[in-house]
Amino acid sequence: SGPGAGMGQSRVAANQELARTQAGGGVTVTATYANPRRGEDPKFEVALNTHSVNLDSYDLKTLSILRDDAGKEYKPLRVDNEGSGHHRRATLVFPKPDPKAKHLELVIKEIAGVKARSFGWDLAQ
């Protein structure tokens, strides 16, 4: 270990604190707020895992919405997909929320019969 050796550790811990997981319909969805800093386009890493459902048919760009506590909704600017079949990862990038927003909620709809999964984060002030 040397200078900066612990840096990666603290980033992993921070990411775990920013991860939210919901299971339902045989699919586990984990959403992680990847860049929780103001002034950036919010980026979320979403992992879909299952043993029974083919996940290829889900288009996260059309199934995902970001809401802020001011009641505004944002559609993804872009989605970068990885993986297929039973294990998929995607990075969702949204437009910057209202500067006054204190809370963000990522909603992913209609995956494996679950009408909506909601993942929430409080923003640093």
Side-chain angles (χ1 to χ4, degrees):
S1 73
M7 291 276 293
Q9 295 284 329
S10 63
R11 220 184 82 183
V12 168
N15 277 357
Q16 285 170 346
E17 284 172 29
L18 294 166
R20 309 282 184 264
T21 300
Q22 288 190 13
V27 176
T28 300
V29 179
T30 301
T32 305
Y33 192 175
N35 63 339
R37 290 176 293 284
R38 291 197 171 272
E40 295 185 16
D41 292 344
K43 186 186 296 184
F44 298 89
E45 292 169 6
V46 176
L48 306 178
N49 290 292
T50 182
H51 296 292
S52 55
V53 181
N54 186 331
L55 301 170
D56 291 345
S57 62
Y58 296 112
D59 177 6
L60 289 174
K61 191 163 170 115
T62 60
L63 299 175
S64 304
I65 295 173
L66 187 66
R67 285 190 193 126
D68 64 24
D69 56 335
K72 294 197 175 117
E73 291 193 349
Y74 309 88
K75 292 184 174 348
L77 295 171
R78 69 170 203 274
V79 177
D80 302 322
N81 287 294
E82 293 171 47
S84 63
H86 291 181
H87 304 282
R88 271 188 59 197
R89 294 181 67 83
T91 302
L92 283 65
V93 180
F94 289 89
K96 286 187 203 66
D98 187 301
K100 296 194 242 5
K102 295 183 177 64
H103 186 82
L104 291 180
E105 181 184 22
L106 175 63
V107 179
I108 302 176
K109 299 184 219 169
E110 303 295 346
I111 294 207
V114 177
K115 193 162 175 43
R117 298 170 202 248
S118 173
F119 307 90
W121 293 268
D122 290 323
L123 295 173
Q125 295 305 305

